[in-house]
Amino acid sequence: MSQAEHLSPRVALYPGSFDPVHNGHLHIIRRAAKLFDRVVVAVAANPHKNPLFTLEERLELLRETLRADGNVEAITFGGLTVDNAKKLGAGVIIRGLRLVSDFESELLLDMHNRRLEPSVETLYMMPEKEYIYFNSSFVKQIARLDVPRLEGYVPDCVFRRLLEKFPPARGA
Ligand code: ADP
């Protein structure tokens, strides 16, 4: 039996930096959890990015956030996304598509992934309009200036961790 035959269309891999996880990610994860038997959220160990949170911290925040989500788990990964999908038996990679600006990079990524491993399919999910502008870079920018203003952007455990990293100035 070829390795591709072990891939399950009921198992999805959702890869990303998750630096940190925000409510836009959660919205995609929870919708995907209704479509698939098992969703594996995979935090990329990307050495080219300079993250605010370490790989371990990003994983811990995801695990804490997703504790009650039965068919969702979080892991870290290195190497090619498609190889990790194969290792996990995931037949589907999930990506979020926000604005048109995501489209070009996602299209290129899709072409490469398809060439590298044609048996793994990628599914694109669009967020509800209230999450369409959420991204981790803006979360970090706002956090550096005024963490309390991030109410509603991020799960509670991320909010608390950002407050520890960027304590509001006393008397402000
Ligand atoms: P970010 O772009 O926020 O830094 P990641 O690299 O962690 O996010 O992205 C992981 C995946 O989640 C990507 O497919 C990305 O397009 C998707 N994603 C991120 N934010 C959102 C959002 N607000 N709505 C839908 N998908 C999103």
Side-chain angles (χ1 to χ4, degrees):
M1 201 188 283
S2 77
Q3 203 159 4
E5 283 169 283
H6 293 292
L7 295 179
S8 169
R10 308 293 316 145
V11 179
L13 178 71
Y14 181 42
S17 308
F18 304 104
D19 184 38
V21 57
H22 54 67
N23 291 343
H25 293 129
L26 287 182
H27 165 68
I28 297 292
I29 293 168
R30 293 194 168 129
R31 276 169 57 207
K34 291 186 191 152
L35 297 173
F36 294 92
D37 293 341
R38 182 176 166 223
V39 175
V40 182
V41 183
V43 191
N46 187 340
H48 302 297
K49 286 194 177 171
N50 183 19
L52 174 64
F53 290 101
T54 65
L55 188 63
E56 293 70 30
E57 285 176 319
R58 286 179 274 151
L59 176 66
E60 192 189 312
L61 289 170
L62 268 166
R63 286 192 170 156
E64 195 170 336
T65 304
L66 298 168
R67 217 172 7 202
D69 295 74
N71 60 339
V72 182
E73 66 205 81
I75 60 166
T76 59
F77 79 104
L80 294 172
T81 306
V82 284
D83 288 347
N84 284 275
K86 275 174 77 176
K87 225 182 325 176
L88 291 159
V92 179
I93 292 172
I94 294 170
R95 299 289 295 169
L97 259 192
R98 288 163 290 190
L99 306 167
V100 183
S101 50
D102 277 345
F103 184 82
E104 197 173 324
S105 56
E106 290 298 335
L107 179 67
L108 291 174
L109 199 58
D110 186 64
M111 303 256 154
H112 288 293
N113 283 340
R114 207 185 288 268
R115 183 189 169 113
L116 292 165
E117 185 47 67
S119 61
V120 176
E121 195 58 74
T122 303
L123 177 77
Y124 296 91
M125 298 183 72
M126 296 187 191
E128 295 284 352
K129 59 181 179 312
E130 65 254 47
Y131 299 114
I132 206 140
Y133 58 94
F134 280 35
N135 78 42
S136 297
S137 304
F138 278 102
V139 165
K140 285 180 279 191
Q141 276 186 46
I142 296 170
R144 287 190 176 95
L145 299 171
D146 195 358
V147 176
R149 305 292 283 279
L150 282 173
E151 196 82 58
Y153 273 88
V154 290
D156 288 348
C157 61
V158 174
F159 188 81
R160 288 194 299 273
R161 198 66 72 84
L162 286 168
L163 271 177
E164 283 164 24
K165 277 201 191 281
F166 305 107
R170 271 203 278 168

